[in-house]
Amino acid sequence: MKGTSADSPGAAGAASGELGRFRGDRGATATAGLTGDNRPPPMHPVLAAMRDRPPGSRVALVIEGGGMRGAVSGGMVLALDEHGLAGAFDAAYGSSAGALNALWLISGRADAGIRTWTDREWLSFLIRRRRLLVRRPVVDVDTLILRRYEQLSPGLFQALLSSPTEFHPLATDVGTGSAVDLHSDIVDVPTLRTALRASSMLPLLAGPPVALGGRRLLDAGLSAAIPIRAALADGATHVLVLRSRRAGETTLPPRGSGARLTSRLLSRIDPQVARAFHARAPAELEDEALLERHTADPALRPTILQIRPAPGSPVPGRLERDTAVVRGGFDAGHAAVRATLSAGEPPND
């Protein structure tokens, strides 16, 4: 998790050969995209920076959260790993499920853990609505992070701490309703586990706020489901954004009796949490507009490339328990990244 200087090979050095390989192996896909003078179209600047970092650049990975929609970005992460790109980034930023996927990627253990998204037994223990009847969390984040991850891949958390890629899980500060980057709070395995719990602690569903660094924290989705602002604040010059929503899908403002009940329950935690709940949709619309502008024009700085599942793809709901739907979302994310890496540009913009 140690930082690297922006103009050193750092984390991306090992990935350069692999990215060059997939660029050269495009075969028929590249031929179909030839320009009029028989030259292939230029590679997107973000993909090019992952291959050969420009001097003074900072290459960041941003992974959207979304509960079980994390299966989509999980498939994307697996595709990056399969192409040898786990070390292509100076820093990885994740919200909620996005932080969990970043954990597996930059620890170098994606193949061991990412596929748990589609494991029927893991899904069954993670989400059980009947636990409400005995006043236990519907979503068992604590067991997932504190026990099952380490059982599946011993040494996982230490592997992340030893990675040259900075790890930036985000969470929501209960006292302010704002997003906070927990990178500086992570100093050892216990604080890493606590940060992951905080980033994924769905209010009302997963448990009470998590204490870390003198703050009470909840799921990042309340304040920064797409942690792009944190990456830009840290000076990222090239950003790959893995999205768990299809193009055109956005968070809707809370409405109706269900939203009013949720707001009242969140206010019992802290009024600022309820405020964040209502401010989430307009904030995400601003982030969507930023991402669309920069994705549409690679000449804009910083350079941003977002990858989304293809239109019509199955995308799981936040608390999805249908394994077939979850697997469909996982496969759609995997296919979207493979298509982007093959073509050198977004497949569905």
Side-chain angles (χ1 to χ4, degrees):
M1 203 177 71
K2 300 182 292 293
T4 57
S5 62
D7 54 357
S8 68
S16 61
E18 181 66 23
L19 187 56
R21 180 190 63 74
F22 81 68
R23 187 183 186 189
D25 287 347
R26 284 154 63 181
T29 302
T31 303
L34 292 177
T35 59
D37 55 1
N38 291 329
R39 290 179 300 174
M43 178 177 282
H44 191 282
V46 170
L47 300 182
M50 290 161 58
R51 173 182 181 269
D52 185 12
R53 179 175 289 113
S57 63
R58 178 177 170 87
V59 182
L61 176 66
V62 168
I63 310 181
E64 183 179 11
M68 288 307 299
R69 287 205 320 274
V72 176
S73 57
M76 293 176 173
V77 158
L78 182 61
L80 289 176
D81 185 68
E82 289 172 346
H83 282 85
L85 299 175
F89 308 96
D90 292 298
Y93 298 78
S95 291
S96 191
L100 301 181
N101 287 332
L103 161 71
W104 288 108
L105 181 69
I106 66 177
S107 67
R109 303 191 179 193
D111 190 57
I114 285 294
R115 297 181 192 276
T116 56
W117 282 109
T118 60
D119 186 290
R120 186 183 301 275
E121 189 270 331
W122 277 62
L123 181 57
S124 175
F125 101 80
L126 179 61
I127 302 175
R128 292 182 182 174
R129 290 181 173 87
R130 66 175 178 268
R131 284 195 288 246
L132 274 176
L133 300 176
V134 291
R135 298 180 180 273
R136 293 179 55 203
V138 172
V139 183
D140 194 353
V141 169
D142 280 350
T143 298
L144 181 73
I145 294 170
L146 297 178
R147 189 170 51 131
R148 300 200 63 146
Y149 272 4
E150 187 72 20
Q151 289 174 343
L152 176 65
S153 184
L156 168 67
F157 299 108
Q158 188 58 53
L160 183 138
L161 292 172
S162 301
S163 170
T165 303
E166 296 174 14
F167 181 51
H168 294 257
L170 271 73
T172 300
D173 186 335
V174 168
T176 65
S178 301
V180 290
D181 184 341
L182 304 181
H183 173 68
S184 63
D185 294 299
I186 300 172
V187 297
D188 52 20
V189 168
T191 52
L192 171 57
R193 286 174 171 157
T194 301
L196 287 165
R197 291 176 55 233
S199 184
S200 308
M201 192 59 66
L202 291 165
L204 309 179
L205 295 172
V210 175
L212 180 65
R215 295 174 294 222
R216 297 166 65 227
L217 304 165
L218 284 169
D219 187 274
L222 280 169
S223 56
I226 314 167
I228 181 65
R229 305 283 178 177
L232 300 185
D234 285 345
T237 59
H238 299 75
V239 188
L240 180 66
V241 185
L242 304 184
R243 302 295 310 279
S244 59
R245 293 182 185 272
R246 293 167 292 217
E249 294 182 343
T250 58
T251 297
L252 298 176
R255 295 191 180 95
S257 58
R260 290 191 293 271
L261 175 60
T262 299
S263 183
R264 287 197 298 271
L265 293 174
L266 292 175
S267 292
R268 294 179 183 177
I269 301 173
D270 192 287
Q272 292 298 334
V273 177
R275 182 196 65 79
F277 172 65
H278 289 282
R280 180 179 59 173
E284 285 192 27
L285 284 176
E286 292 181 7
D287 291 343
E288 291 279 4
L290 169 72
L291 291 171
E292 290 298 331
R293 287 195 306 272
H294 283 254
T295 296
D297 186 357
L300 290 177
R301 298 293 182 267
T303 303
I304 299 173
L305 171 62
Q306 63 174 336
I307 304 178
R308 292 179 179 265
S313 300
V315 171
R318 183 176 294 271
L319 297 179
E320 184 64 64
R321 297 185 76 249
D322 186 325
T323 307
V325 175
V326 175
R327 178 174 290 280
F330 184 93
D331 292 342
H334 189 268
V337 166
R338 287 182 60 88
T340 298
L341 296 181
S342 296
E345 58 187 18
N348 49 34
D349 285 347

